Amino acid sequence: MSEQTSAKTPVDFWFDPLCPWAWMTSRWVLEVEKVRDIEVRWHIMSLAVLNEPKLDELPEEYREMLATTAWQPVRVVTAAWQKHGDDILGPLYTALGNRIHNDGLGPTKEAIAGALEEVGLPADLIDYADQEDFEFDAELRASHKEGIDKVGQDVGTPVIAVPGADGGQIAFFGPVVTPAPKGEEAAKLWDGTLLVASVEGFYELKRTRTKGPDFSNL
């Protein structure tokens, strides 16, 4: 990552553009940037990479998705990152997420091409979507591993690293929330995240989800 140029608190966020829950959390953390003195640093992780060790245990439909369309957006984002630098990750993720999730296009070539155009990136980056011998596979996997190593294997996306009890960072899966909180609600969730992160030995709070991602306020 590039060096910090401000005194804001760095918050590291690992995402796969395919994941609707990561999208919700990412919109929350961007809202937090407006109301708390933080700066989000974006990183790539991959649901396809995450699930490689357990493909045989997954439902056939999900397994087929991981083997095909799950690779396409994350490869394009990785290639854009490698060719155009860290600063493109946030804008490209936003442009992709708006199309994939808010507009309901899904991880299509149309969505990827539109996102590239919106942020002023070369259209031929979309060629990486189907590049099975992916040129930047090592960089993708290294970024994924960095996030997973912080939080452990029994998670999904997103992974978020925040200030912890020892003055360093502590990472969590989540928070999983829908719809994405706005304004003071976003601030309260952030303050609560810091509160539990400050307790040494804290690991998780969880309840069963009773609704799907709600993009209506995005």
Side-chain angles (χ1 to χ4, degrees):
M1 298 298 301
S2 59
E3 294 183 2
Q4 286 296 111
T5 57
S6 74
K8 293 184 178 182
T9 300
V11 178
D12 291 288
F13 192 104
W14 281 263
F15 68 92
D16 183 325
L18 184 70
C19 179
W21 295 105
W23 175 245
M24 302 298 298
T25 307
S26 74
R27 300 310 94 182
W28 160 70
V29 81
L30 285 178
E31 187 74 9
V32 175
E33 275 195 328
K34 302 175 185 177
V35 293
R36 293 291 185 268
D37 201 23
I38 72 165
E39 183 173 23
V40 183
R41 304 187 297 196
W42 302 101
H43 310 264
I44 299 166
M45 65 183 296
S46 167
L47 288 170
V49 173
L50 181 70
N51 285 285
E52 280 179 338
K54 52 187 178 183
L55 278 178
D56 292 342
E57 305 169 15
L58 300 173
E60 182 178 356
E61 183 178 357
Y62 190 60
R63 188 166 63 245
E64 290 178 356
M65 183 274 296
L66 289 173
T68 54
T69 55
W71 285 107
Q72 294 176 340
V74 78
R75 281 174 176 157
V76 173
V77 173
T78 302
W81 165 46
Q82 289 299 299
K83 286 177 170 286
H84 298 275
D86 296 351
D87 290 345
I88 200 61
L89 283 173
L92 181 55
Y93 181 29
T94 291
L96 269 172
N98 282 332
R99 288 166 172 80
I100 292 172
H101 305 296
N102 294 3
D103 297 341
L105 294 179
T108 61
K109 294 287 186 66
E110 178 187 359
I112 296 170
L116 291 173
E117 181 179 8
E118 179 180 326
V119 299
L121 287 171
D124 62 4
L125 281 171
I126 202 169
D127 294 342
Y128 287 99
D130 295 317
Q131 190 181 77
E132 292 187 10
D133 187 16
F134 181 44
E135 179 179 348
F136 303 111
D137 187 67
E139 290 82 359
L140 168 58
R141 291 175 183 273
S143 179
H144 176 90
K145 183 177 185 298
E146 182 186 12
I148 290 296
D149 283 351
K150 288 179 180 292
V151 74
Q153 293 293 327
D154 190 26
V155 300
T157 174
V159 169
I160 186 170
V162 303
D166 60 359
Q169 280 189 321
I170 187 168
F172 296 114
F173 162 59
V176 176
V177 60
T178 187
K182 300 288 188 179
E184 186 56 29
E185 288 296 307
K188 287 196 296 185
L189 180 55
W190 171 252
D191 294 342
T193 301
L194 290 186
L195 182 62
V196 297
S198 72
V199 178
E200 189 172 356
F202 173 82
Y203 288 99
E204 70 177 295
L205 287 169
K206 189 171 183 179
R207 62 175 178 159
T208 300
R209 293 195 297 266
T210 58
K211 61 183 294 188
D214 179 355
F215 308 127
S216 61
N217 69 342
L218 298 180

